[in-house]
Structure formats: C-alpha cells, structure tokens
Amino acid sequence: MSQAAAQSKKVSFRAKESTACPICDENHQKEQMFQGGGRLIAGKLAQDLRRLYEKNRKFGRVSPLDYVMSVCPRCLYSSFPKDWNSLNPADNEAIRMATDARRSYIEKILGPLDFTQDRQIVLGAASYVLGMDCYQLRGASVAPTPKKAVCAIRGAWYFSDLHEEFPHIGYDKIRDFLYQKAAVIYGYTLELMQNGNEPVDQAAGMLGPDTDNNWGFDGVIYLNAYLTKKFKDQMAPKPEDQVLLLSRAKRTLARLYGSGKASKGKPGPIVEMTRELYDEYNAILEAMGGEK
C-alpha cells in the first residue's frame, strides 16, 4: 500500500521531531490530526458553543479536540502547546511534585492511561482534566484562569459523550461537576478582563471554546451567562442570591447583545444565540420577581 493510501485511512500521525517534557525530560512524538480527506463531518452548533460532529462512516468517531492538549505520557503534565515550555522554576517544581497525585486522581476517574497510544475519547477527556489540574499550579503570567475555563467546558463535553456511551458508570456526575467549574471560572475570567490581574489577551487565540470557531471574549461573556443560568441552583442556593447572580450576568450579556446589534462584524450565530439567551433571562428574572 502506498504512503498516500495508508494516510487516507488514518485520522492522525506522529510528528517526526521528538518533544521533550520540561517536567520529567521524557521524549515522545506528539500526535497530530490529518487535515482534510473528509474526516470531519460538521453538525450543528450546540447552545454551549460546542460544534457537534457526525460519526464518519469511514473513520468512525473523529474529534479535533482529541489532539489539542500536549500531554507527557510519563508524568502526565498537560498544557496548551504554546505554554508547554513557558514554565518558571516554581511552576515546574509544583507540577513535578504533584505527579503521583495527578496520576492517581485521573486514573480513579478513567482507569489506567497510556498516552503513547493514539488519542481517543478517554485520552481526550483525560487531557483536559489534566490540563485543569496543571494550570491550577501555573503562575498568572500564562493567564491560567481562562485556560482552565476552556479545559473545564471541553472536559464536560467529553464526559457528556462518555455518559452516553457508558450510562451506568456515573460520568454524568463528572460532567455536571466540570460544567459547574466552568461556570465559576468563566465568571472569574470576566473579572480578569476588567481588572487585568492576568494577561487574558494571551489566551485570546485559544478561548474557543471549540476549535472550529474562536468566539474569543464574546464567547466568554455568552458562556458565563449560559452556564450561570444552567447552574444557578448550585451556584446560589438562596432565591435572593440567584436574582443577584442572574442580574449581574444579564447586564454583561446585555452589552454583548447591544454590540451585536450595532456591529455587522459580529458573527451571526452568536448574536442570535445571545438574543435568545437574553430573552430567557428576562423571563426567568420576571418569574423570580427580579429586574425585568
């Protein structure tokens, strides 16, 4: 079989150059996805800005998200590629010291992992949970907060799919936990956009939250409002606190809605979804006796 014919049957390939882990010095070949060839069949855009993909008759399940995170197969250090080597000594030491805990934690959830194997749904899920864990130990200079938010929501997507495939294992609980983490962290990200305590512009190119459209900071505003509405009961058990929480999210959403109406440059889908979400907020707050 020719090399071209062999490639036409594969989803991914290994980079020729070795990648060295800055934590444990392990060398490995990063896996990357082939582009084109009819591998991706795009479906609809979900309410949480996830691009759904249809199962491919030839290749089966294909997801570009599987290959985004760089993960060391030895120590399970995980990051977005641009942050792989940008570790200060304190970050490096903290992540190195947490290696055993990191492996124990993720394997309690997903079982034994081997990142020398081709990426699939379990390794994809693990890569984002590990990314959240490692960015928790990174300093402010790499803008870890928005990156944790992206890892959290992508992790939630993976555990949603895992729950559909294995409904009796309890992956739905992890899915909801990650969605709630995303809700809280997107709120922190909004604060950082205003106070400048982290260089959030550094994360602009990877805010996504998916890979086909980078909605950038508009996506942060929308997702903060969407997730706040979805998990208001968990974030604020008291009704009066919920009203305050929803009112704050609605005011931020209103600015996105207003700028979308005023600018032809805003992407159509997010403007329409923002309008629908804004109307939902008005109805919920009216029913709760809050602002209209």
Side-chain angles (χ1 to χ4, degrees), residues 101 116-117 144 146 194 255:
T116 65
Q117 300 297 309
Q194 297 167 356
R255 291 197 287 273

Side-chain angles (χ1 to χ4, degrees), residues 45 49 51 150 154 186 200-220 223 265 267 270:
L45 183 68
L49 303 184
R51 175 62 66 191
V150 173
R154 290 181 181 179
Y186 272 108
V200 291
D201 284 348
Q202 195 205 88
M206 59 185 74
L207 282 173
D210 213 327
T211 54
D212 71 327
N213 280 307
N214 180 16
W215 304 106
F217 295 113
D218 290 346
V220 172
L223 281 170
I270 200 167

Side-chain angles (χ1 to χ4, degrees), residues 29 31 59 142 154 193 212 221-222 256 262 266 280 289:
Q29 271 68 43
E31 187 182 4
F59 296 99
V142 297
R154 290 181 181 179
M193 288 164 59
D212 71 327
I221 294 169
Y222 172 86
L256 175 58
K266 291 283 185 189
E280 290 177 28

